[in-house]
Amino acid sequence: MTSPRLGPDSRIHDAIVVGAGLAGLTAAKSLIDAGLDVVVLEADERPGGRLKTDRVDGFLLDHGFQVYLTGYQRAKEVLDLGGLKLKSFHPGAMVRIGNTWHTVKDPIRSPWNRMLSDAIRTLQAPVATWNDLWTLQRYRQSLMRLPVEEILKSRGKSTLERLREVGFSERIIDRFFRPFLGGIFLDSSLNIDSARMEYVFREMGLSTAALPAGGIQAIPEQLCRSWKPGVLRLNTTVAEITDTGVKLSDGTQIHGMQVVVATEASGAKRLLGDRLPIPEKLSWNATTCVYFAIDRSSAPTREPILWLNGNLVDPSPKGQVASESFAINHVAFPSLVQPSYAPRDQVLASVNINRSIPMDTDALVSEVRSELEHWFGWTVTHWRHLRTYQVPCAFINPSEPLWSYDPRGGLDRNGRTVACGDYMQTSSIEGAIQSGLLAAKECLLSRGQSNSLGADRILGKR
């Protein structure tokens, strides 16, 4: 029998982090900052997990529509937000009802010189009743007063049930919440666990949705930019966790005192087995994102705001959600928010559908153009297709309650192996960073009392 090969160095690392998504990068950075010798192993060709950005013809194309919420508390402690040069969408949306666009904004968050006009246009829109608007304000304020931990404990009920329980009308549920929340969770049916929805709703009430100047991938890249060569090892797949560290797919062994499993959920399940109490088969929500380049002079808007499809529910008595038929959920123009997303004389359009589309790219783009012509008119024929991203595993199905939300740390706390990932928290950028911080704290605390001060600096005393 062939002996396993040793790694590129024979030393024993303080910690091995498996996975360079946001949770793994955060855990690794925290441990490195605490003085530990860390190696990060990533199977992909670049760090970041699902936070990816491509440069195409001078445009920045994120893999699917993604934003950073400026109110994230843990994230702002870890990231240099000034370095990301964030710029935000305007709060509110344009909502398409029938063939007409209507403005829906929160006048309280509008500039003072536009409060009255935004309030009037919102009240005139056939999207919400007066009672809905009043209920919306009270509901948001009640969530903003609750600690995050309290919100995430109240799980097990669908978002649709919860919105009806709060007192919202079917009108605002179908015409606003379905496309708005559907764009976040990639599920217009609103079968989302209400705890997840209320967490996001709370965060959005405290912040704005923003884009980094370098694209969404700038967030993970910032975390590992200052690392020494050899700390981050890309194109490196871990096959199993061993008694002395990990074994790679090519048989190479890397030794470490502790192992942080920071892969996505199915990968963590493969490595940790029954020690990670999540379902064997995970259900994912998919997304399709089609990007177009538009001459700035012919762009349908200059305002950095979302354009939502308020026609997702069949107006017939059956009221079926258009989940199985072709339907655009929303359109965004990222370069109107963050100018770096497009060349100066161009505008970037991001067209988003809440599922994978089983057709070739040319046919899909033709279908999208046809739909967009109903939205924005004949000038869509001049929009230039840049690239299409079909992401089948974009978001773990949020209809399940949070399996493991635990403010104390990772699941597999045996002193040597700890798991982390956004699936263990709130399935968000904040959740991934929070989970990585908790994993790093567990690693430091398990190393003895001498490192407890370093652990406290990472996440505060608990």
Side-chain angles (χ1 to χ4, degrees), residues 330-347:
H330 69 278
V331 174
F333 299 93
S335 61
L336 297 180
V337 179
Q338 182 61 266
S340 59
Y341 269 66
R344 181 172 297 180
D345 60 342
Q346 301 281 297
V347 171

Side-chain angles (χ1 to χ4, degrees), residues 314-325:
D314 186 340
S316 70
K318 292 183 179 180
Q320 296 296 312
V321 178
S323 57
E324 298 303 322
S325 62

Side-chain angles (χ1 to χ4, degrees), residues 31-54:
L31 295 174
I32 291 170
D33 290 347
L36 273 61
D37 173 21
V38 180
V39 62
V40 181
L41 309 176
E42 169 56 47
D44 203 352
E45 62 184 4
R46 54 182 162 179
R50 296 192 296 277
L51 302 186
K52 295 180 179 179
T53 304
D54 293 332

Side-chain angles (χ1 to χ4, degrees), residues 195-335:
R196 294 176 185 265
M197 177 275 292
E198 292 192 326
Y199 166 76
V200 170
F201 208 78
R202 176 187 185 276
E203 292 300 309
M204 298 202 79
L206 295 169
S207 59
T208 58
L211 297 173
I216 203 70
Q217 191 173 337
I219 296 174
E221 285 178 345
Q222 186 188 86
L223 291 173
C224 58
R225 185 174 298 138
S226 63
W227 291 354
K228 296 178 181 179
V231 174
L232 175 61
R233 304 180 189 179
L234 303 174
N235 300 306
T236 304
T237 303
V238 173
E240 63 178 285
I241 298 173
T242 67
D243 291 338
T244 60
V246 301
K247 184 168 75 172
L248 306 183
S249 57
D250 65 0
T252 300
Q253 288 202 0
I254 298 178
H255 301 298
M257 297 293 293
Q258 295 175 308
V259 178
V260 178
V261 179
T263 64
E264 44 79 28
S266 58
K269 185 71 174 179
R270 174 179 62 83
L271 292 172
L272 294 173
D274 292 339
R275 289 177 291 175
L276 194 64
I278 62 175
E280 289 290 341
K281 293 184 178 181
L282 297 169
S283 176
W284 291 82
N285 286 351
T287 185
T288 298
C289 183
V290 186
Y291 284 107
F292 293 93
I294 312 170
D295 290 337
R296 178 171 288 274
S297 60
S298 61
T301 183
R302 297 293 176 89
E303 186 176 11
I305 198 169
L306 285 177
W307 295 67
L308 303 179
N309 186 358
N311 298 321
L312 290 174
V313 173
D314 186 340
S316 70
K318 292 183 179 180
Q320 296 296 312
V321 178
S323 57
E324 298 303 322
S325 62
F326 180 87
I328 295 171
N329 185 80
H330 69 278
V331 174
F333 299 93
S335 61

Side-chain angles (χ1 to χ4, degrees), residues 150-162:
E150 193 67 28
I151 291 175
L152 294 175
K153 287 177 182 177
S154 304
R155 51 189 186 259
K157 181 180 297 183
S158 78
T159 288
L160 184 59
E161 291 177 284
R162 179 61 178 147

Side-chain angles (χ1 to χ4, degrees), residues 58-135:
F59 294 86
L60 295 179
L61 309 183
D62 297 331
H63 286 215
F65 180 71
Q66 302 182 67
V67 297
Y68 177 90
L69 297 184
T70 58
Y72 287 150
Q73 293 301 307
R74 292 302 178 194
K76 69 175 58 175
E77 297 171 6
V78 174
L79 299 171
D80 173 14
L81 298 185
L84 292 175
K85 299 178 181 178
L86 297 167
K87 291 186 181 295
S88 297
F89 282 86
H90 286 179
M94 297 297 294
V95 182
R96 186 170 183 260
I97 306 298
N99 294 318
T100 305
W101 289 103
H102 301 275
T103 300
V104 176
K105 293 186 177 181
D106 181 356
I108 294 177
R109 304 180 73 183
S110 298
W112 69 269
N113 60 334
R114 294 174 55 182
M115 283 184 178
L116 182 59
S117 62
D118 285 347
I120 291 172
R121 287 191 292 173
T122 299
L123 290 170
Q124 290 176 338
V127 176
T129 66
W130 283 73
N131 184 66
D132 286 329
L133 298 177
W134 174 245
T135 302

